[in-house]
Amino acid sequence: MLKRLLVALSPFGVAMAVASVPAHAQADPLASWIDGAAKARIVAFVKAATEPGGKDFVPAADRIAVFDNDGTLWSEQPMYFQLAFAIDRVKALAPQHPEWNAKQPFKAALEGDMKVLAASGEHGLVELVMASHAGNTTDEFAQVVRDWMKNARHPRSNRLYTELTYRPMRELLDYLRANGFATYIVSGGGVEFLRVVSEELYGVPPQQVIGSSVQTKYELRDSKPVIVRLPELDFIDDKAGKPVGIHKFIGKRPVAAFGNSDGDFEMLEWTTSAPGARLGLIVHHDDDVREYAYDRNSTIGKLDRGLDEAGKRGWLVVSMKNDWRRVYTPAR
Amino acid sequence: MLKRLLVALSPFGVAMAVASVPAHAQADPLASWIDGAAKARIVAFVKAATEPGGKDFVPAADRIAVFDNDGTLWSEQPMYFQLAFAIDRVKALAPQHPEWNAKQPFKAALEGDMKVLAASGEHGLVELVMASHAGNTTDEFAQVVRDWMKNARHPRSNRLYTELTYRPMRELLDYLRANGFATYIVSGGGVEFLRVVSEELYGVPPQQVIGSSVQTKYELRDSKPVIVRLPELDFIDDKAGKPVGIHKFIGKRPVAAFGNSDGDFEMLEWTTSAPGARLGLIVHHDDDVREYAYDRNSTIGKLDRGLDEAGKRGWLVVSMKNDWRRVYTPAR
């Protein structure tokens, strides 16, 4: 009703109407979430975890929340954004690497053969980035990523990739932090790629980003110390690797986990199978108007077992279509 | 003069004298540091890094300080405390492992052959702990460490190992945190060993402890998820591994580094070879009365190149004997 009222008012009237909205509604930290069961469940969890003396109270030091990135905090269709980055990099570096014309996955990247590339999954793209940037220092690599983020655009929306984060999820990050949670990103993607923008996009500093990585080496170049990227995988932070990564980097079991695909299954399982207040949440991509609709049959972000088992495991499945008032910022 | 005054006073007089000490002296956050050049240098660094508008101002997000543990935050003689733990564990588990009687380094551990063990260094002890605890879950291992910490005693002082942290360094940790620094431990020892006590001993939560590690695996046991320790090294966080570990876990270059041996050389080098306010500090063990005296010729905590180059690199060498008012708590 309030909405209809606002629509009917003149510009001057709107200002007055806004002023008369109750304070709690204006200050709603989850304003992009439609008032419904999903939002209520999130709020109830946070209330239970933070209520002193409550039976599910979680001390501040243990309030650890972990978020997948691709498909959970920003879009991942029609391809992982880091794959778009890798393709652009392979193209840029190709003149110095004639051998790539005959070698996969470089050949597929140069020819734009998305099927071959998509099938290689997050592992494949880490390898692509790995090989094309071996020998770079970590500082050089970060600069390349920074430059790309400033210019590269999403093929369908033509927006900067950095504009394609989910507003409701950013609100959720802020809301959890305001309630004393430490928020971590636990991504299958490359950690050095994501750390460049994690603070700016999500308010998550580099040391709270866990991801896949290549091995690195400390050395002196022109008598200045640098850290150099090597062409060898160090760690794949996906599937059962996610709880392993969480243990390795945080050393504590989280109390809340947020994902969108079966790559997050074990992270959700690890987080929610201990006593006390726990929240496991899956973002379901069912909005082909404002974003994309995909789940069981998608190569990217496949969600199958998670959908089957969410009910019996008590995980909250969030409908992008029905639970989110808006997807991106500004609203599309 | 104040000291002489206090000594001359009766017990009642002492209370009065304390009450008349100026407020800033009473509240000295580095009370266990003797007022001198070393303390002044630390205070000057923190002041420069935190003074808004100053030319060496460091934004809060970049105030990252890294501390070695063995020999920097607690004692490491006559052997790394984790080596004492490993020996105790090998002895406790020996009945189930008759093969250890003929196999190094287990044989040396069972026979108390410290020379062989010491020569194996931090790598060797990680391997010892690794092999003796392969197959344990991370929770089981943490409990074993917790129990040991409650009971095991240092051979010379007969105090609990947990009582052998350096009071001046704990004050320094608190002082840095009070000034907006994030404090990390970057240890050559095993990360899962140290994380059990890091919060209690140093106020450093598990996620801010970086160390050597074994590989782990996520699996279900009796349909409950666990993380299991495998008998394979994952990462050695020593020497050039320290800056690599810092980059891997923090993703930023620290502005202050604290160590005591050549195992910390690269960490100090990495931290201090960038512009702006930087502090590199080496604790020199030159106090054979209150602690131990060792440097260039020690198997444990060897400090040779660090002593040679500290001057030209601008690193502060702290004399345990002359710069510290007390070593442990309570004072010995």
Side-chain angles (χ1 to χ4, degrees), chain A residues 124-163:
Chain A
L125 86 89
V126 171
E127 285 188 48
L128 205 67
V129 179
M130 182 173 88
S132 53
H133 292 276
N136 275 148
T137 69
T138 53
D139 284 346
E140 287 163 354
F141 181 74
Q143 191 55 50
V144 168
V145 175
R146 215 170 280 127
D147 291 342
W148 184 83
M149 291 282 186
K150 272 185 208 144
N151 298 300
R153 288 182 180 269
H154 184 260
R156 197 180 73 177
S157 70
N158 201 36
R159 296 172 73 171
L160 292 173
Y161 287 102
T162 52
E163 292 175 346

mmCIF file of all heavy atoms in Angstrom, chain A residues 124-163:
data_model
loop_
_atom_site.group_PDB
_atom_site.id
_atom_site.type_symbol
_atom_site.label_atom_id
_atom_site.label_comp_id
_atom_site.label_asym_id
_atom_site.label_seq_id
_atom_site.Cartn_x
_atom_site.Cartn_y
_atom_site.Cartn_z
ATOM 1 N N GLY A 124 40.280 -25.673 -14.790
ATOM 2 C CA GLY A 124 40.815 -25.316 -16.092
ATOM 3 C C GLY A 124 41.184 -23.854 -16.174
ATOM 4 O O GLY A 124 42.230 -23.489 -16.709
ATOM 5 N N LEU A 125 40.324 -23.036 -15.598
ATOM 6 C CA LEU A 125 40.611 -21.604 -15.738
ATOM 7 C C LEU A 125 41.762 -21.178 -14.844
ATOM 8 O O LEU A 125 42.565 -20.318 -15.218
ATOM 9 C CB LEU A 125 39.346 -20.776 -15.512
ATOM 10 C CG LEU A 125 38.894 -20.347 -14.138
ATOM 11 C CD1 LEU A 125 39.530 -19.013 -13.769
ATOM 12 C CD2 LEU A 125 37.390 -20.170 -14.157
ATOM 13 N N VAL A 126 41.875 -21.824 -13.694
ATOM 14 C CA VAL A 126 43.032 -21.525 -12.851
ATOM 15 C C VAL A 126 44.304 -21.894 -13.618
ATOM 16 O O VAL A 126 45.291 -21.154 -13.612
ATOM 17 C CB VAL A 126 42.962 -22.285 -11.509
ATOM 18 C CG1 VAL A 126 44.272 -22.134 -10.741
ATOM 19 C CG2 VAL A 126 41.813 -21.752 -10.658
ATOM 20 N N GLU A 127 44.262 -23.016 -14.332
ATOM 21 C CA GLU A 127 45.432 -23.435 -15.111
ATOM 22 C C GLU A 127 45.741 -22.459 -16.245
ATOM 23 O O GLU A 127 46.904 -22.195 -16.545
ATOM 24 C CB GLU A 127 45.208 -24.843 -15.669
ATOM 25 C CG GLU A 127 45.360 -25.904 -14.594
ATOM 26 C CD GLU A 127 45.331 -27.318 -15.166
ATOM 27 O OE1 GLU A 127 46.033 -27.578 -16.151
ATOM 28 O OE2 GLU A 127 44.584 -28.135 -14.603
ATOM 29 N N LEU A 128 44.687 -21.941 -16.834
ATOM 30 C CA LEU A 128 44.859 -20.990 -17.935
ATOM 31 C C LEU A 128 45.551 -19.716 -17.434
ATOM 32 O O LEU A 128 46.521 -19.236 -18.026
ATOM 33 C CB LEU A 128 43.486 -20.651 -18.519
ATOM 34 C CG LEU A 128 43.412 -20.180 -19.964
ATOM 35 C CD1 LEU A 128 43.799 -21.294 -20.916
ATOM 36 C CD2 LEU A 128 41.986 -19.712 -20.294
ATOM 37 N N VAL A 129 45.025 -19.196 -16.338
ATOM 38 C CA VAL A 129 45.611 -17.984 -15.762
ATOM 39 C C VAL A 129 47.029 -18.272 -15.288
ATOM 40 O O VAL A 129 47.952 -17.470 -15.482
ATOM 41 C CB VAL A 129 44.766 -17.487 -14.566
ATOM 42 C CG1 VAL A 129 45.399 -16.237 -13.963
ATOM 43 C CG2 VAL A 129 43.347 -17.180 -15.009
ATOM 44 N N MET A 130 47.181 -19.441 -14.688
ATOM 45 C CA MET A 130 48.462 -19.877 -14.159
ATOM 46 C C MET A 130 49.538 -19.865 -15.237
ATOM 47 O O MET A 130 50.576 -19.223 -15.085
ATOM 48 C CB MET A 130 48.248 -21.295 -13.648
ATOM 49 C CG MET A 130 49.398 -21.949 -13.013
ATOM 50 S SD MET A 130 48.812 -23.529 -12.326
ATOM 51 C CE MET A 130 49.035 -24.583 -13.778
ATOM 52 N N ALA A 131 49.242 -20.548 -16.325
ATOM 53 C CA ALA A 131 50.254 -20.678 -17.375
ATOM 54 C C ALA A 131 50.539 -19.336 -18.038
ATOM 55 O O ALA A 131 51.682 -19.006 -18.344
ATOM 56 C CB ALA A 131 49.797 -21.693 -18.406
ATOM 57 N N SER A 132 49.483 -18.529 -18.241
ATOM 58 C CA SER A 132 49.708 -17.281 -18.959
ATOM 59 C C SER A 132 50.397 -16.230 -18.091
ATOM 60 O O SER A 132 50.866 -15.227 -18.611
ATOM 61 C CB SER A 132 48.389 -16.744 -19.547
ATOM 62 O OG SER A 132 47.392 -16.655 -18.568
ATOM 63 N N HIS A 133 50.466 -16.459 -16.779
ATOM 64 C CA HIS A 133 51.103 -15.475 -15.911
ATOM 65 C C HIS A 133 52.266 -16.019 -15.098
ATOM 66 O O HIS A 133 52.705 -15.376 -14.146
ATOM 67 C CB HIS A 133 50.072 -14.829 -14.994
ATOM 68 C CG HIS A 133 49.122 -13.973 -15.755
ATOM 69 N ND1 HIS A 133 49.409 -12.678 -16.079
ATOM 70 C CD2 HIS A 133 47.936 -14.250 -16.322
ATOM 71 C CE1 HIS A 133 48.419 -12.184 -16.796
ATOM 72 N NE2 HIS A 133 47.508 -13.115 -16.968
ATOM 73 N N ALA A 134 52.748 -17.185 -15.457
ATOM 74 C CA ALA A 134 53.913 -17.726 -14.756
ATOM 75 C C ALA A 134 55.092 -16.789 -14.979
ATOM 76 O O ALA A 134 55.287 -16.272 -16.080
ATOM 77 C CB ALA A 134 54.237 -19.120 -15.271
ATOM 78 N N GLY A 135 55.853 -16.547 -13.944
ATOM 79 C CA GLY A 135 57.022 -15.685 -14.065
ATOM 80 C C GLY A 135 56.725 -14.247 -13.688
ATOM 81 O O GLY A 135 57.632 -13.489 -13.374
ATOM 82 N N ASN A 136 55.461 -13.865 -13.714
ATOM 83 C CA ASN A 136 55.096 -12.529 -13.233
ATOM 84 C C ASN A 136 55.268 -12.459 -11.721
ATOM 85 O O ASN A 136 55.056 -13.449 -11.025
ATOM 86 C CB ASN A 136 53.623 -12.226 -13.539
ATOM 87 C CG ASN A 136 53.422 -11.680 -14.935
ATOM 88 O OD1 ASN A 136 52.384 -11.920 -15.537
ATOM 89 N ND2 ASN A 136 54.384 -10.950 -15.456
ATOM 90 N N THR A 137 55.564 -11.268 -11.232
ATOM 91 C CA THR A 137 55.513 -11.094 -9.786
ATOM 92 C C THR A 137 54.052 -10.940 -9.390
ATOM 93 O O THR A 137 53.183 -10.619 -10.216
ATOM 94 C CB THR A 137 56.280 -9.837 -9.331
ATOM 95 O OG1 THR A 137 55.563 -8.682 -9.781
ATOM 96 C CG2 THR A 137 57.690 -9.821 -9.890
ATOM 97 N N THR A 138 53.785 -11.160 -8.112
ATOM 98 C CA THR A 138 52.413 -11.027 -7.624
ATOM 99 C C THR A 138 51.934 -9.578 -7.773
ATOM 100 O O THR A 138 50.759 -9.350 -8.035
ATOM 101 C CB THR A 138 52.331 -11.476 -6.164
ATOM 102 O OG1 THR A 138 53.325 -10.766 -5.404
ATOM 103 C CG2 THR A 138 52.614 -12.966 -6.043
ATOM 104 N N ASP A 139 52.841 -8.622 -7.631
ATOM 105 C CA ASP A 139 52.454 -7.214 -7.808
ATOM 106 C C ASP A 139 52.074 -6.931 -9.261
ATOM 107 O O ASP A 139 51.103 -6.222 -9.537
ATOM 108 C CB ASP A 139 53.595 -6.271 -7.398
ATOM 109 C CG ASP A 139 53.737 -6.157 -5.883
ATOM 110 O OD1 ASP A 139 52.803 -6.579 -5.171
ATOM 111 O OD2 ASP A 139 54.772 -5.659 -5.423
ATOM 112 N N GLU A 140 52.860 -7.469 -10.189
ATOM 113 C CA GLU A 140 52.547 -7.286 -11.610
ATOM 114 C C GLU A 140 51.184 -7.898 -11.939
ATOM 115 O O GLU A 140 50.355 -7.289 -12.626
ATOM 116 C CB GLU A 140 53.630 -7.948 -12.486
ATOM 117 C CG GLU A 140 54.959 -7.202 -12.507
ATOM 118 C CD GLU A 140 56.124 -8.058 -13.024
ATOM 119 O OE1 GLU A 140 55.931 -9.272 -13.262
ATOM 120 O OE2 GLU A 140 57.221 -7.493 -13.163
ATOM 121 N N PHE A 141 50.962 -9.098 -11.435
ATOM 122 C CA PHE A 141 49.695 -9.768 -11.712
ATOM 123 C C PHE A 141 48.512 -8.958 -11.163
ATOM 124 O O PHE A 141 47.501 -8.771 -11.845
ATOM 125 C CB PHE A 141 49.708 -11.181 -11.116
ATOM 126 C CG PHE A 141 48.439 -11.935 -11.382
ATOM 127 C CD1 PHE A 141 48.173 -12.445 -12.650
ATOM 128 C CD2 PHE A 141 47.495 -12.115 -10.385
ATOM 129 C CE1 PHE A 141 46.991 -13.129 -12.914
ATOM 130 C CE2 PHE A 141 46.316 -12.799 -10.639
ATOM 131 C CZ PHE A 141 46.062 -13.310 -11.901
ATOM 132 N N ALA A 142 48.660 -8.455 -9.951
ATOM 133 C CA ALA A 142 47.581 -7.659 -9.353
ATOM 134 C C ALA A 142 47.270 -6.434 -10.215
ATOM 135 O O ALA A 142 46.110 -6.049 -10.385
ATOM 136 C CB ALA A 142 47.949 -7.241 -7.927
ATOM 137 N N GLN A 143 48.307 -5.842 -10.781
ATOM 138 C CA GLN A 143 48.097 -4.654 -11.614
ATOM 139 C C GLN A 143 47.345 -5.010 -12.893
ATOM 140 O O GLN A 143 46.454 -4.269 -13.336
ATOM 141 C CB GLN A 143 49.446 -3.993 -11.932
ATOM 142 C CG GLN A 143 49.317 -2.614 -12.566
ATOM 143 C CD GLN A 143 48.465 -1.657 -11.737
ATOM 144 O OE1 GLN A 143 48.675 -1.510 -10.541
ATOM 145 N NE2 GLN A 143 47.460 -1.030 -12.359
ATOM 146 N N VAL A 144 47.681 -6.144 -13.480
ATOM 147 C CA VAL A 144 46.984 -6.607 -14.684
ATOM 148 C C VAL A 144 45.489 -6.821 -14.376
ATOM 149 O O VAL A 144 44.614 -6.413 -15.148
ATOM 150 C CB VAL A 144 47.624 -7.924 -15.202
ATOM 151 C CG1 VAL A 144 46.745 -8.571 -16.262
ATOM 152 C CG2 VAL A 144 49.019 -7.663 -15.761
ATOM 153 N N VAL A 145 45.210 -7.418 -13.237
ATOM 154 C CA VAL A 145 43.816 -7.654 -12.848
ATOM 155 C C VAL A 145 43.096 -6.320 -12.623
ATOM 156 O O VAL A 145 41.982 -6.103 -13.098
ATOM 157 C CB VAL A 145 43.731 -8.524 -11.570
ATOM 158 C CG1 VAL A 145 42.287 -8.654 -11.099
ATOM 159 C CG2 VAL A 145 44.339 -9.907 -11.819
ATOM 160 N N ARG A 146 43.770 -5.424 -11.925
ATOM 161 C CA ARG A 146 43.188 -4.112 -11.625
ATOM 162 C C ARG A 146 42.796 -3.382 -12.927
ATOM 163 O O ARG A 146 41.708 -2.843 -13.045
ATOM 164 C CB ARG A 146 44.217 -3.299 -10.828
ATOM 165 C CG ARG A 146 43.629 -2.380 -9.781
ATOM 166 C CD ARG A 146 44.720 -1.813 -8.882
ATOM 167 N NE ARG A 146 45.139 -2.736 -7.847
ATOM 168 C CZ ARG A 146 46.400 -3.106 -7.605
ATOM 169 N NH1 ARG A 146 47.386 -2.604 -8.319
ATOM 170 N NH2 ARG A 146 46.668 -3.962 -6.654
ATOM 171 N N ASP A 147 43.712 -3.398 -13.892
ATOM 172 C CA ASP A 147 43.443 -2.732 -15.172
ATOM 173 C C ASP A 147 42.263 -3.380 -15.886
ATOM 174 O O ASP A 147 41.403 -2.692 -16.447
ATOM 175 C CB ASP A 147 44.688 -2.797 -16.076
ATOM 176 C CG ASP A 147 45.823 -1.930 -15.543
ATOM 177 O OD1 ASP A 147 45.545 -1.046 -14.704
ATOM 178 O OD2 ASP A 147 46.977 -2.148 -15.950
ATOM 179 N N TRP A 148 42.227 -4.697 -15.859
ATOM 180 C CA TRP A 148 41.139 -5.413 -16.541
ATOM 181 C C TRP A 148 39.792 -5.070 -15.903
ATOM 182 O O TRP A 148 38.804 -4.814 -16.594
ATOM 183 C CB TRP A 148 41.418 -6.925 -16.485
ATOM 184 C CG TRP A 148 40.422 -7.752 -17.236
ATOM 185 C CD1 TRP A 148 40.427 -8.009 -18.574
ATOM 186 C CD2 TRP A 148 39.268 -8.409 -16.702
ATOM 187 N NE1 TRP A 148 39.359 -8.807 -18.908
ATOM 188 C CE2 TRP A 148 38.625 -9.063 -17.771
ATOM 189 C CE3 TRP A 148 38.725 -8.521 -15.416
ATOM 190 C CZ2 TRP A 148 37.461 -9.818 -17.612
ATOM 191 C CZ3 TRP A 148 37.565 -9.265 -15.243
ATOM 192 C CH2 TRP A 148 36.937 -9.904 -16.332
ATOM 193 N N MET A 149 39.754 -5.032 -14.594
ATOM 194 C CA MET A 149 38.502 -4.764 -13.884
ATOM 195 C C MET A 149 37.946 -3.377 -14.230
ATOM 196 O O MET A 149 36.749 -3.154 -14.191
ATOM 197 C CB MET A 149 38.720 -4.838 -12.360
ATOM 198 C CG MET A 149 38.997 -6.233 -11.846
ATOM 199 S SD MET A 149 37.487 -7.246 -11.707
ATOM 200 C CE MET A 149 38.172 -8.717 -10.897
ATOM 201 N N LYS A 150 38.842 -2.471 -14.543
ATOM 202 C CA LYS A 150 38.412 -1.106 -14.846
ATOM 203 C C LYS A 150 37.767 -0.985 -16.219
ATOM 204 O O LYS A 150 37.041 -0.024 -16.482
ATOM 205 C CB LYS A 150 39.626 -0.164 -14.792
ATOM 206 C CG LYS A 150 39.886 0.387 -13.421
ATOM 207 C CD LYS A 150 41.018 1.405 -13.487
ATOM 208 C CE LYS A 150 41.757 1.454 -12.159
ATOM 209 N NZ LYS A 150 43.189 1.681 -12.317
ATOM 210 N N ASN A 151 38.063 -1.926 -17.100
ATOM 211 C CA ASN A 151 37.642 -1.772 -18.489
ATOM 212 C C ASN A 151 36.760 -2.880 -19.052
ATOM 213 O O ASN A 151 35.937 -2.625 -19.924
ATOM 214 C CB ASN A 151 38.894 -1.665 -19.383
ATOM 215 C CG ASN A 151 39.719 -0.451 -19.017
ATOM 216 O OD1 ASN A 151 39.248 0.671 -19.088
ATOM 217 N ND2 ASN A 151 40.951 -0.679 -18.584
ATOM 218 N N ALA A 152 36.962 -4.094 -18.586
ATOM 219 C CA ALA A 152 36.269 -5.232 -19.216
ATOM 220 C C ALA A 152 34.775 -5.204 -18.907
ATOM 221 O O ALA A 152 34.359 -4.810 -17.821
ATOM 222 C CB ALA A 152 36.885 -6.534 -18.732
ATOM 223 N N ARG A 153 33.997 -5.610 -19.900
ATOM 224 C CA ARG A 153 32.546 -5.559 -19.747
ATOM 225 C C ARG A 153 31.898 -6.912 -20.007
ATOM 226 O O ARG A 153 32.350 -7.684 -20.839
ATOM 227 C CB ARG A 153 31.953 -4.507 -20.696
ATOM 228 C CG ARG A 153 32.269 -3.106 -20.225
ATOM 229 C CD ARG A 153 31.681 -2.014 -21.093
ATOM 230 N NE ARG A 153 32.067 -0.724 -20.534
ATOM 231 C CZ ARG A 153 31.336 -0.052 -19.641
ATOM 232 N NH1 ARG A 153 30.183 -0.539 -19.228
ATOM 233 N NH2 ARG A 153 31.755 1.103 -19.168
ATOM 234 N N HIS A 154 30.830 -7.141 -19.280
ATOM 235 C CA HIS A 154 30.059 -8.380 -19.381
ATOM 236 C C HIS A 154 29.381 -8.443 -20.750
ATOM 237 O O HIS A 154 28.782 -7.456 -21.190
ATOM 238 C CB HIS A 154 29.020 -8.372 -18.254
ATOM 239 C CG HIS A 154 28.221 -9.624 -18.160
ATOM 240 N ND1 HIS A 154 26.945 -9.732 -18.666
ATOM 241 C CD2 HIS A 154 28.519 -10.827 -17.609
ATOM 242 C CE1 HIS A 154 26.484 -10.948 -18.422
ATOM 243 N NE2 HIS A 154 27.411 -11.635 -17.782
ATOM 244 N N PRO A 155 29.454 -9.592 -21.444
ATOM 245 C CA PRO A 155 28.997 -9.659 -22.838
ATOM 246 C C PRO A 155 27.500 -9.384 -23.022
ATOM 247 O O PRO A 155 27.120 -8.784 -24.023
ATOM 248 C CB PRO A 155 29.345 -11.099 -23.254
ATOM 249 C CG PRO A 155 29.530 -11.865 -21.977
ATOM 250 C CD PRO A 155 30.036 -10.865 -20.987
ATOM 251 N N ARG A 156 26.658 -9.785 -22.095
ATOM 252 C CA ARG A 156 25.231 -9.575 -22.303
ATOM 253 C C ARG A 156 24.779 -8.195 -21.818
ATOM 254 O O ARG A 156 24.120 -7.451 -22.534
ATOM 255 C CB ARG A 156 24.407 -10.659 -21.601
ATOM 256 C CG ARG A 156 22.982 -10.717 -22.130
ATOM 257 C CD ARG A 156 22.150 -11.787 -21.459
ATOM 258 N NE ARG A 156 21.795 -11.421 -20.095
ATOM 259 C CZ ARG A 156 21.018 -12.151 -19.308
ATOM 260 N NH1 ARG A 156 20.549 -13.323 -19.740
ATOM 261 N NH2 ARG A 156 20.721 -11.760 -18.096
ATOM 262 N N SER A 157 25.172 -7.843 -20.606
ATOM 263 C CA SER A 157 24.670 -6.593 -20.027
ATOM 264 C C SER A 157 25.483 -5.383 -20.459
ATOM 265 O O SER A 157 25.044 -4.254 -20.310
ATOM 266 C CB SER A 157 24.694 -6.688 -18.505
ATOM 267 O OG SER A 157 26.047 -6.678 -18.052
ATOM 268 N N ASN A 158 26.673 -5.643 -20.963
ATOM 269 C CA ASN A 158 27.610 -4.566 -21.312
ATOM 270 C C ASN A 158 27.983 -3.684 -20.120
ATOM 271 O O ASN A 158 28.436 -2.559 -20.276
ATOM 272 C CB ASN A 158 27.074 -3.707 -22.465
ATOM 273 C CG ASN A 158 28.211 -2.961 -23.160
ATOM 274 O OD1 ASN A 158 29.309 -3.495 -23.289
ATOM 275 N ND2 ASN A 158 27.967 -1.716 -23.568
ATOM 276 N N ARG A 159 27.761 -4.186 -18.921
ATOM 277 C CA ARG A 159 28.194 -3.440 -17.729
ATOM 278 C C ARG A 159 29.578 -3.928 -17.307
ATOM 279 O O ARG A 159 30.002 -5.031 -17.655
ATOM 280 C CB ARG A 159 27.198 -3.662 -16.588
ATOM 281 C CG ARG A 159 25.816 -3.103 -16.922
ATOM 282 C CD ARG A 159 24.794 -3.480 -15.889
ATOM 283 N NE ARG A 159 24.992 -2.733 -14.646
ATOM 284 C CZ ARG A 159 24.116 -2.759 -13.642
ATOM 285 N NH1 ARG A 159 23.010 -3.487 -13.720
ATOM 286 N NH2 ARG A 159 24.348 -2.066 -12.543
ATOM 287 N N LEU A 160 30.277 -3.101 -16.538
ATOM 288 C CA LEU A 160 31.547 -3.559 -15.957
ATOM 289 C C LEU A 160 31.261 -4.789 -15.092
ATOM 290 O O LEU A 160 30.228 -4.853 -14.427
ATOM 291 C CB LEU A 160 32.155 -2.455 -15.081
ATOM 292 C CG LEU A 160 32.668 -1.201 -15.800
ATOM 293 C CD1 LEU A 160 33.082 -0.156 -14.760
ATOM 294 C CD2 LEU A 160 33.849 -1.538 -16.702
ATOM 295 N N TYR A 161 32.172 -5.729 -15.092
ATOM 296 C CA TYR A 161 31.980 -6.925 -14.249
ATOM 297 C C TYR A 161 31.806 -6.542 -12.782
ATOM 298 O O TYR A 161 31.040 -7.156 -12.046
ATOM 299 C CB TYR A 161 33.169 -7.879 -14.406
ATOM 300 C CG TYR A 161 33.172 -8.602 -15.731
ATOM 301 C CD1 TYR A 161 34.011 -8.214 -16.764
ATOM 302 C CD2 TYR A 161 32.309 -9.674 -15.953
ATOM 303 C CE1 TYR A 161 34.007 -8.873 -17.984
ATOM 304 C CE2 TYR A 161 32.288 -10.342 -17.173
ATOM 305 C CZ TYR A 161 33.147 -9.933 -18.187
ATOM 306 O OH TYR A 161 33.123 -10.583 -19.395
ATOM 307 N N THR A 162 32.499 -5.501 -12.378
ATOM 308 C CA THR A 162 32.430 -5.086 -10.977
ATOM 309 C C THR A 162 31.060 -4.516 -10.601
ATOM 310 O O THR A 162 30.785 -4.299 -9.428
ATOM 311 C CB THR A 162 33.504 -4.029 -10.683
ATOM 312 O OG1 THR A 162 33.388 -2.989 -11.661
ATOM 313 C CG2 THR A 162 34.897 -4.629 -10.762
ATOM 314 N N GLU A 163 30.208 -4.277 -11.614
ATOM 315 C CA GLU A 163 28.853 -3.788 -11.312
ATOM 316 C C GLU A 163 27.868 -4.936 -11.176
ATOM 317 O O GLU A 163 26.676 -4.710 -10.975
ATOM 318 C CB GLU A 163 28.381 -2.850 -12.436
ATOM 319 C CG GLU A 163 29.165 -1.546 -12.494
ATOM 320 C CD GLU A 163 28.777 -0.682 -13.689
ATOM 321 O OE1 GLU A 163 28.110 -1.197 -14.620
ATOM 322 O OE2 GLU A 163 29.144 0.497 -13.691
#
